[in-house]
Amino acid sequence: MKLFVRDLTVIDASYLCPQRGMVGESWILDVVMSGELNEMSMVLDFSRVKKQIKQLVDQYVDHRLLIPAASAAIQTATTKAEYMTVDLVSDQHTIHLHSPEQAFCFIDAEAITIESVTKHVQQVLLGNLPANVQGLEIILRHEKIDGAFYHYSHGLKKHDGNCQRIAHGHRSPVELVVNGQRNADLEQQWAQRWQDIYLGSQEDVIGVRELNLSAAAANINDETHYGFRYTAPQGEFELAIAKSVTEILATDTTVELLACYIAEQIKPQLVATDRLDVFAYEGVGKGAMVTIG
């Protein structure tokens, strides 16, 4: 007997890539389990499986920075109790972090792919399900998006959950409606502008030499990189990332404020009588809407 659960949860995370840098991602998680029926004539109660698997995924993978542990471009070191540095150094990107260990998820692979993350999630879940569950298949997939989308990473220091981690992200569609019609040109402009972007808050910017980074960051400076630091309930988070892949906002980077920011950026391109509706998404199926004009 097999039990399947589609759209069980969404993993919103970022990952490090030597070619692309820091990449925000959103994967939909489906699960198929096989096993013998229990005393209730079930493989596993639907409400129980959803809660149990989501809890494990949230604890070990979701809203973390995924690190390809076998990549030659990655360096890591423990600094103090429950803190570590992570460095990505490649020909294309140099990214340096110092954060609580719980902000990272190490994948035993040379690269972060749907396949390598799927294997990791399956390993996390194995052994945590009832004995009558004999087989487990994990399927990660992207949302099918009809139109433009971008990958962004950020951190929300005022959040009391895992969104406070300085390097997590989303794969998000963007819908820009001018006078009742979607504007594909504007949407594509934003997809290109925020492709693999890091969105930071001005109040968190700090000189890179003031950060507690590893020796791998010795060659960066304030001309090439932004430094970010903030303290949140889970601890102190620090990041240095190239200015070329970063956009600074005067506000926090909640999806509500991102929608407002996009609207204000687009407003000068429109005539005074135009109405603009911005639908900014935070991953899959959720987001914020703002209207101007």
Side-chain angles (χ1 to χ4, degrees), residues 13-15 22-26 150-153 168-171 196:
S14 291
Y15 66 89
M22 185 183 293
V23 184
E25 245 330 339
S26 298
Y150 45 70
H151 300 255
Y152 75 94
S153 301
H168 75 275
H170 314 274
R171 175 183 181 264
D196 300 344

Side-chain angles (χ1 to χ4, degrees), residues 20 22-24 145-153 170-176 182-199 244-245 247 261-262 265-266 269 278-281:
R20 294 177 62 183
M22 185 183 293
V23 184
I145 297 174
D146 180 22
F149 62 91
Y150 45 70
H151 300 255
Y152 75 94
S153 301
H170 314 274
R171 175 183 181 264
S172 300
V174 58
E175 297 174 11
L176 305 174
R182 284 186 63 176
N183 190 309
D185 290 339
L186 280 176
E187 292 174 357
Q188 191 58 40
Q189 287 177 26
W190 279 91
Q192 293 175 355
R193 178 170 171 171
W194 278 3
Q195 183 67 17
D196 300 344
I197 198 73
Y198 185 82
L199 300 177
S244 60
V245 294
E247 188 158 338
Y261 179 77
I262 293 171
Q265 292 285 303
I266 293 175
Q269 303 177 46
V278 174
F279 296 83
Y281 285 79

Side-chain angles (χ1 to χ4, degrees), residues 207-220:
V208 296
R209 290 287 160 244
E210 299 180 64
L211 298 174
N212 299 297
L213 303 177
S214 76
N219 293 327
I220 69 171

